[in-house]
Amino acid sequence: EDKVVQSPLSLVVHEGDTVTLNCSYEVTNFRSLLWYKQEKKAPTFLFMLTSSGIEKKSGRLSSILDKKELFSILNITATQTGDSAVYLCAVPPQGGSEKLVFGKGTKLTVNP
Amino acid sequence: SAVISQKPSRDICQRGTSLTIQCQVDSQVTMMFWYRQQPGQSLTLIATANQGSEATYESGFVIDKFPISRPNLTFSTLTVSNMSPEDSSIYLCSVGQGLPQYFGPGTRLTVT
């Protein structure tokens, strides 16, 4: 069965800190891994990773994939209170469908 | 990315009743999905809404409980039937032309 495991489940930091969120996966015929940020209700798309070792970057957020070790990390530098959210990792399962299997998420709280 | 709207944004319903949630996209999309997020949990796929044919349900979800319609490439509805308190969740539609998927703003349902 396809599986996504995120750690830690929750994290509390102070503004300005750097955080690393982890996502490991087990899926047959891996195609891609996606990161989303969920504030309130709707997840918003951050990154999609398909190639190992290539960093995706957007402002203070970056992510990288290790296909050999089956994990990805999401880094946030110089955190701000607006980064407080649940960060979700997801993979499309085997079978070629575009549906997604999600991890439980990491709840990040950034205190001023 | 497409602009997605959902109605209602939230509702409080009595057990035994049904609620229909609408998802509207501002452009034609190939894939539409419905997810559920129970309190404190991650997203679980309910079904893939197929245009012009019956929806494809995931294990644990049945058409009698969650009937879905998709009359065209920009619109879908999910009905939560004969509700119980266990149906209290956030319901999310997502769309994509392949990956990534983009999510609507969600419907927060509380069943009393």
Side-chain angles (χ1 to χ4, degrees):
Chain A
E1 185 182 328
D2 303 309
K3 200 162 120 178
V4 178
V5 178
Q6 293 186 245
S7 64
L9 291 181
S10 68
L11 191 55
V12 180
V13 301
H14 291 288
E15 265 192 320
D17 289 350
T18 293
V19 297
T20 298
L21 311 183
N22 304 293
C23 175
S24 64
Y25 61 89
E26 293 175 26
V27 61
T28 307
N29 297 326
F30 173 85
R31 290 178 285 143
S32 59
L33 183 145
L34 294 88
W35 285 96
Y36 288 86
K37 176 183 181 182
Q38 186 178 28
E39 301 169 276
K40 297 185 182 179
K41 292 185 294 185
T44 53
F45 171 69
L46 295 175
F47 300 113
M48 184 167 75
L49 302 143
T50 56
S51 300
S52 201
I54 297 176
E55 185 182 53
K56 292 266 180 117
K57 198 169 169 67
S58 176
R60 296 176 294 101
L61 277 67
S62 64
S63 184
I64 198 160
L65 176 68
D66 186 328
K67 286 167 77 171
K68 184 179 174 187
E69 300 297 330
L70 308 182
F71 77 90
S72 174
I73 60 172
L74 176 68
N75 279 322
I76 308 174
T77 59
T79 51
Q80 302 171 356
T81 55
D83 295 326
S84 296
V86 175
Y87 291 84
L88 297 164
C89 175
V91 296
Q94 66 170 331
S97 168
E98 305 303 343
K99 62 186 180 184
L100 293 172
V101 173
F102 282 85
K104 290 186 184 296
T106 294
K107 182 176 180 180
L108 174 65
T109 302
V110 182
N111 290 325
Chain B
S1 62
V3 176
I4 309 164
S5 60
Q6 268 186 248
K7 289 196 292 190
S9 172
R10 59 175 58 224
D11 209 340
I12 301 172
C13 301
Q14 291 195 347
R15 68 173 68 207
T17 62
S18 298
L19 176 71
T20 295
I21 303 167
Q22 299 179 5
C23 179
Q24 179 77 54
V25 191
D26 70 343
S27 59
Q28 292 186 344
V29 292
T30 309
M31 311 296 292
M32 291 183 83
F33 303 92
W34 287 99
Y35 289 83
R36 179 176 76 178
Q37 188 175 33
Q38 293 176 303
Q41 303 298 312
S42 193
L43 280 70
T44 301
L45 181 67
I46 298 171
T48 302
N50 301 309
Q51 194 265 328
S53 65
E54 202 168 276
T56 305
Y57 289 84
E58 298 298 304
S59 176
F61 297 96
V62 295
I63 188 171
D64 289 346
K65 176 68 177 177
F66 297 102
I68 288 171
S69 78
R70 188 164 177 204
N72 56 53
L73 291 175
T74 64
F75 185 78
S76 178
T77 67
L78 167 76
T79 299
V80 186
S81 302
N82 187 24
M83 287 184 283
S84 67
E86 292 70 38
D87 294 318
S88 297
S89 298
I90 296 171
Y91 291 86
L92 293 151
C93 71
S94 73
V95 304
Q97 301 279 74
L99 291 172
Q101 287 179 27
Y102 296 94
F103 286 84
T107 297
R108 187 182 299 274
L109 171 62
T110 302
V111 183
T112 61

